[in-house]
Amino acid sequence: PYYVDINQNLFLEAYLHSSDPNLVLFVDTCVASPTPYNFTTVTYDIIRNGCVRDSTYGTYYSPYNHIARFTFSAFQFIRNSPLVYLRCELVVCRAYDYSSRCYQGCITRSKRSASS
């Protein structure tokens, strides 16, 4: 666990351990929850499907494709729940494969039209 104050900036780094230098690491989704067992009911999206949902989220330059660096401000859900659990989903792709998920960026689902 990390102990931080509210609104303190958190800096995170994900590192892909691989001998293949042609792999890219992409942060697809990071979701926060007040419980470590449920990331679907009461959650807060920091980034989802590559789309930034939290205004404090930011990325940092990395000289290596296999390292992803990002930041966001600490928060709490409610006063009675001072703990926040984070679950991130990262994607590994081949470098320079521009059709891969890593190079698509933010993906928004198209809305379905309701027929009568």
Side-chain angles (χ1 to χ4, degrees):
Y2 291 96
Y3 299 94
V4 296
D5 294 324
I6 299 300
N7 295 324
Q8 180 179 344
N9 287 334
L10 295 172
F11 300 93
L12 292 92
E13 178 177 273
Y15 183 94
L16 174 64
H17 294 275
S18 173
S19 59
D20 187 344
N22 294 314
L23 296 178
V24 176
L25 192 59
F26 175 72
V27 181
D28 182 74
T29 298
C30 279
V31 179
S33 171
T35 173
Y37 310 109
N38 185 345
F39 282 89
T40 56
T41 306
V42 178
T43 62
Y44 177 75
D45 289 349
I46 296 167
I47 182 169
R48 180 167 299 271
N49 297 323
C51 303
V52 175
R53 303 290 188 207
D54 184 291
S55 63
T56 67
Y57 178 90
T59 59
Y60 282 93
Y61 169 77
S62 171
Y64 306 103
N65 288 337
H66 62 277
I67 296 176
R69 295 174 176 163
F70 58 98
T71 184
F72 64 93
S73 291
F75 62 92
Q76 71 182 44
F77 282 90
I78 53 176
R79 292 176 203 252
N80 297 337
S81 179
L83 301 177
V84 174
Y85 297 87
L86 185 66
R87 185 181 76 186
C88 294
E89 297 174 14
L90 291 93
V91 180
V92 178
C93 305
R94 286 259 166 231
Y96 311 110
D97 177 2
Y98 297 109
S99 64
S100 71
R101 176 67 192 99
C102 296
Y103 291 94
Q104 293 173 359
C106 175
I107 295 179
T108 56
R109 288 186 166 188
S110 59
K111 294 185 176 159
R112 297 180 188 172
S113 60
S115 59
S116 52

